[in-house]
Structure formats: C-alpha cells, structure tokens
C-alpha cells in the first residue's frame, strides 16, 4: 500500500467532517482519477492503519508556504513539491490523516492497469517528513491541521 495513490470514499468524510480535510470534489481529472488523491504510507504502530497525504496542483500557494518555512526554519517538512505524471504537485503533509482499508475507494491507476507512483527518492523523503511531523504531533507540537487524534481514536475503536 505504501507509495501508491488512492481515492477515499465519501463515507470517510461524512463520518469525520473536519474542515481541514481535503474532501472529494466528485469530478475526474484528465487521467481518469478523482480529486483529490492521496499518497499512502503505513503506520509504524498500528498494522491496520495507513496515513494519507493529500496532493494539490496549487503549486504557487504551497511553494510560498514552503519558501517561508525554509527561510524561517531552514527546512520544510509540512509541504513537499515534486513531479507526478509529468506535472508539479504539492504533497500537503500538514493535512495528512489516518485511515483504514474500509474507507479506501480505489487505487489510482493509469488505464486501469498501471499504479500511479512517484520516484522512490521522493517517496522516501515524503514519508520521512511525514514521520517527523507525526513525532512532533506526539510531542504535542501542533503541526497537522486535521484532528487526527479524533480520527485515530475512532478507527482504533472500530478495530477492537
């Protein structure tokens, strides 16, 4: 599952109506995928939980945030800009959230065959940034904007 892109069911967003989540837009893009799609990576603690990082085409907006963080902190772990399917894409790490298989609607593929993927180096860097952000969150440093504690609590209760 890690490193692949997925679309999330409307049921997830109905159950967790958080204004900070990038919700489904109900339309398809030129490659046949819905909007938005999410990069998945596995949780280090719970085997049935994955994390979803939304992607955005609003490069100017997220480039400005990234530049500000570089100037202020010398690094930026909340945004990662890379290429996906030949286009610049912003990985909005600060808006990631946990999920279970129940809420994954479909994998993002090209021509219903080939999984959409990013370069391995970018995948590794994004997941490292996301894990650093999760560590900050666990240390009570608010960086992630959705209420991931509420979502995670409910998802883990579902698994019991």
């Amino acid at each position: 599952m890690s490193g692949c892109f997925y679309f999330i069911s409307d049921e997830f967003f109905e159950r967790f109506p958080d204004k900070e989540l990038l919700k489904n837009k109900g339309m398809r893009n030129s490659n046949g995928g819905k909007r938005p799609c999410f990069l998945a990576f596995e949780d280090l603690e719970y085997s049935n939980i994955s994390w979803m990082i939304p992607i955005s085409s609003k490069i100017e907006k997220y480039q400005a945030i990234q530049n500000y963080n570089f100037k202020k902190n010398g690094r930026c772990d909340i945004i990662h800009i890379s290429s996906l399917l030949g286009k610049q894409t912003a990985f909005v790490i600060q808006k990631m959230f946990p999920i279970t298989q129940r809420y994954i609607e479909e994998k993002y593929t090209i021509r219903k065959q080939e999984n959409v993927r990013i370069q391995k180096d970018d995948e590794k860097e994004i997941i490292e940034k996301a894990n650093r952000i999760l560590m900050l969150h666990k240390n009570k440093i608010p960086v992630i904007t959705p209420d991931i504690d509420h979502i995670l609590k409910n998802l883990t209760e579902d698994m019991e």
Side-chain angles (χ1 to χ4, degrees), residues 16-89:
F16 302 105
D18 188 320
K19 66 181 174 73
E20 292 296 327
L21 293 172
L22 294 181
K23 295 167 188 58
N24 289 339
K25 300 207 184 329
M27 58 182 109
R28 295 217 171 247
N29 65 24
S30 60
N31 292 313
K34 297 178 191 174
R35 292 182 51 218
C37 71
F38 301 85
L39 174 66
F41 71 98
E42 304 301 321
D43 186 82
L44 299 175
E45 187 176 342
Y46 300 101
S47 61
N48 294 335
I49 300 284
S50 294
W51 288 88
M52 295 292 167
I53 299 172
I55 65 170
S56 175
S57 60
K58 296 179 181 178
I59 298 304
E60 288 182 23
K61 172 184 177 177
Y62 290 110
Q63 186 71 59
I65 294 169
Q66 187 179 53
N67 291 343
Y68 173 80
N69 276 269
F70 274 123
K71 286 178 187 171
K72 183 179 175 189
N73 305 315
R75 68 187 294 159
C76 181
D77 287 342
I78 62 171
I79 305 289
H80 183 90
I81 298 186
S82 183
S83 180
L84 179 66
L85 298 174
K87 294 182 180 178
Q88 285 289 95
T89 302

Side-chain angles (χ1 to χ4, degrees), residues 117-131:
R117 295 197 68 102
I118 57 172
Q119 295 289 326
K120 281 288 183 197
D121 290 345
D122 279 323
E123 176 187 337
K124 181 181 176 196
E125 188 175 350
I126 292 166
I127 293 171
E128 285 173 357
K129 287 179 177 183
N131 282 318

Side-chain angles (χ1 to χ4, degrees), residues 88-101:
Q88 285 289 95
T89 302
F91 292 79
V92 191
I93 299 166
Q94 70 182 9
K95 291 191 176 282
M96 69 180 162
F97 58 89
I99 198 164
T100 58
Q101 190 68 38

